[in-house]
Amino acid sequence: MLPVVSSPNRLFHGVRSGFRTLLLSSVLLSAGIQPVLAQTVDDDGTVANQQLNLPKDVTVFGKSDPNVRKATAIVNNRIITGTDIDQRLALIITANGGKVEAEEKERLRVQVLRNLIDETLQIQEAAANDIKIDPAEIQQSYERVAANFRQSPTQFDAYLREKGSSAASIKRQIEGELAWSRLLRRNIQPFVNVSEDEVKSVVDRLNASKGSDEYRIGEIYLSATPENQEQIVANARNIIQQIQQGGSFQAYARQFSEASTAAVGGDLGWVRPAQLPPELAQAATEMQVGQIAGPVPVAGGVSLIYVMDKRKVLTADPRDSLLSLKQLSVLFPQGTTKEQASAKAAAFAAAIKEIKGCGQANEVGQKIGADVVDNDNVKVRDLPPQLQDILTNLQVGEATPPFGSITDGVRVLVVCGRDEPASANAPNAEQIMAQLEEERVNKRARIYLRDLRRDAVIEYN
């Protein structure tokens, strides 16, 4: 679930006022004007002492965020270099196919710096609690990441260097995730309790909601304060734009989300609308699978949500059916025009109508010169979304309409068999208890990290 971030306490009232004074001083110095430091600025933004004789319309020369002049910082004596940021940023750019505008890249650099600061705080706090991750364990996780790219660790090292990143950058992120997870298991999880009555209540609600919709949701949570709300919303919109242009939601969630689900690509798992904050529940119910929405204002910040999948509670999903299929395909010769392809596709469709079950598929395929391929144990949900609804409603022996392109040719799928999915069962008591415990650990983890930020000594260079 979404982390709940408390409002800043009164202690920070004076800090914010002082910060505004320093901001004003920085602007004046950059313009060659010596400020009168005895003056302050009230909470409403007005000048307390009008003797400064400031103009009504102020033009700021330079960047508007004086805290980040360069993308480097020292966090409790641990240095974060520009190279650290460049290499982590390269991972995000790679996830977007290398297509990131220069302006967007600068925004990403700022966000990456914030993430590296949090990561450093997590590793430092774990070390302060005598938790250190064995380099051999980090290497094992790194090798699994390399295997996901179908590469050996050596090949993956070279791939990362080619993209402007490094093995050290990924290993540092792995160390942070492992250290923070282990720290939470030691310092928070033992003190989180879920009663049997709570579990029974969840089971009762599940049974009562049988047949209603539930969603598999991905989330990117960005914390915000009234002071930086506008900037955070702009960052969120840029993230959506990058994802809509082909960027990986999971990659952005892993790098930018401040929720504990960042380590799993923002995946919240299967949830019912009632389990979500009202704002997210409304957005989820209005979306189709594959859509992303936001930024949605929530407690302590904003969220982007991605509907990964949808199903009925405790109801067998027809998309879990296993199909036996025959695929008939015809390729177009190189240079085929759109009109020629349309004519050939029409002739192909007319021939397919002669198929009376899979027994005739090979014969018809031979007549029209089509390639015929058998595919068994194909799960409906693993097929392209455009075909899922069609195949769900087809009977054994029926074929899909022709589909394809000039490049890939035209093809149809004939249903030769169908194994219906088993009835869905409610999660058992242990699974429900584990989920409730995880939600509570995640909420406390957000507060834990917030306190670490408040106590940290951070110097920006």
Side-chain angles (χ1 to χ4, degrees), residues 33-70:
I33 304 172
Q34 186 65 35
V36 182
L37 295 179
Q39 314 306 326
T40 60
V41 182
D42 290 335
D43 282 341
D44 61 0
T46 60
V47 179
N49 190 327
Q50 297 299 327
Q51 293 177 358
L52 285 176
N53 192 27
L54 296 177
K56 293 183 179 179
D57 296 325
V58 177
T59 300
V60 179
F61 299 96
K63 295 200 173 184
S64 60
D65 188 354
N67 280 328
V68 186
R69 293 187 295 275
K70 296 180 181 178

Side-chain angles (χ1 to χ4, degrees), residues 339-376:
E339 292 75 15
Q340 291 170 333
S342 298
K344 194 164 186 176
F348 179 73
I352 293 303
K353 290 181 180 179
E354 299 178 11
I355 296 179
K356 307 299 181 184
C358 282
Q360 291 185 336
N362 290 61
E363 180 182 344
V364 172
Q366 188 174 6
K367 283 183 180 179
I368 60 177
D371 292 328
V372 181
V373 178
D374 293 323
N375 296 272
D376 293 326

Side-chain angles (χ1 to χ4, degrees), residues 9-21 40-41 43:
N9 59 33
R10 283 297 288 181
L11 174 64
F12 290 94
H13 171 83
V15 174
R16 286 196 298 268
S17 296
F19 170 75
R20 282 192 291 271
T21 302
T40 60
V41 182
D43 282 341

Side-chain angles (χ1 to χ4, degrees), residues 49-270:
N49 190 327
Q50 297 299 327
Q51 293 177 358
L52 285 176
N53 192 27
L54 296 177
K56 293 183 179 179
D57 296 325
V58 177
T59 300
V60 179
F61 299 96
K63 295 200 173 184
S64 60
D65 188 354
N67 280 328
V68 186
R69 293 187 295 275
K70 296 180 181 178
T72 57
I74 303 174
V75 183
N76 296 329
N77 296 322
R78 205 292 185 176
I79 298 174
I80 297 174
T81 68
T83 300
D84 293 330
I85 295 169
D86 290 339
Q87 292 181 347
R88 193 64 64 85
L89 178 62
L91 298 176
I92 303 167
I93 295 174
T94 300
N96 282 276
K99 300 176 181 177
V100 175
E101 298 293 334
E103 184 178 351
E104 173 65 9
K105 191 178 296 185
E106 287 305 309
R107 294 191 187 96
L108 292 178
R109 287 182 66 86
V110 174
Q111 186 63 50
V112 165
L113 176 58
R114 292 172 182 160
N115 296 344
L116 287 172
I117 290 172
D118 285 349
E119 185 180 282
T120 301
L121 292 173
Q122 291 169 343
I123 293 174
Q124 290 174 342
E125 180 67 8
N129 285 266
D130 296 322
I131 296 174
K132 293 185 179 180
I133 307 302
D134 190 332
E137 186 177 356
I138 296 174
Q139 181 63 27
Q140 289 176 355
S141 296
Y142 178 74
E143 289 173 0
R144 285 194 293 270
V145 174
N148 290 337
F149 283 79
R150 296 184 177 87
Q151 295 181 0
S152 69
T154 303
Q155 292 171 328
F156 195 47
D157 290 350
Y159 172 79
L160 291 173
R161 287 194 297 270
E162 178 188 342
K163 299 300 181 181
S165 187
S166 71
S169 182
I170 289 187
K171 288 179 180 179
R172 177 73 175 177
Q173 186 169 356
I174 291 171
E175 180 186 3
E177 292 171 355
L178 292 175
W180 186 241
S181 175
R182 204 155 295 173
L183 180 65
L184 297 181
R185 287 201 300 270
R186 177 189 292 185
N187 289 2
I188 293 182
Q189 194 166 359
F191 306 102
V192 170
N193 297 309
V194 177
S195 68
E196 292 183 1
D197 288 341
E198 290 178 286
V199 174
K200 183 179 181 299
S201 175
V202 173
V203 172
D204 291 341
R205 288 199 300 271
L206 276 173
N207 290 327
S209 60
K210 182 176 181 178
S212 61
D213 291 331
E214 65 177 349
Y215 304 82
R216 188 175 179 188
I217 298 293
E219 175 204 17
I220 297 176
Y221 171 77
L222 304 173
S223 64
T225 63
E227 291 80 6
N228 69 0
Q229 177 83 14
E230 186 175 343
Q231 178 188 354
I232 296 300
V233 168
N235 289 343
R237 287 174 177 157
N238 283 314
I239 290 174
I240 289 180
Q241 184 178 11
Q242 293 298 318
I243 293 172
Q244 289 175 337
Q245 292 175 355
S248 166
F249 180 92
Q250 288 76 14
Y252 269 91
R254 189 177 178 88
Q255 295 295 337
F256 294 135
S257 179
E258 298 176 48
S260 57
T261 53
V264 290
D267 190 354
L268 289 176
W270 289 99

Side-chain angles (χ1 to χ4, degrees), residues 414-426:
V414 184
V415 179
C416 301
R418 180 191 302 272
D419 292 328
E420 299 294 346
S423 297
N425 297 317

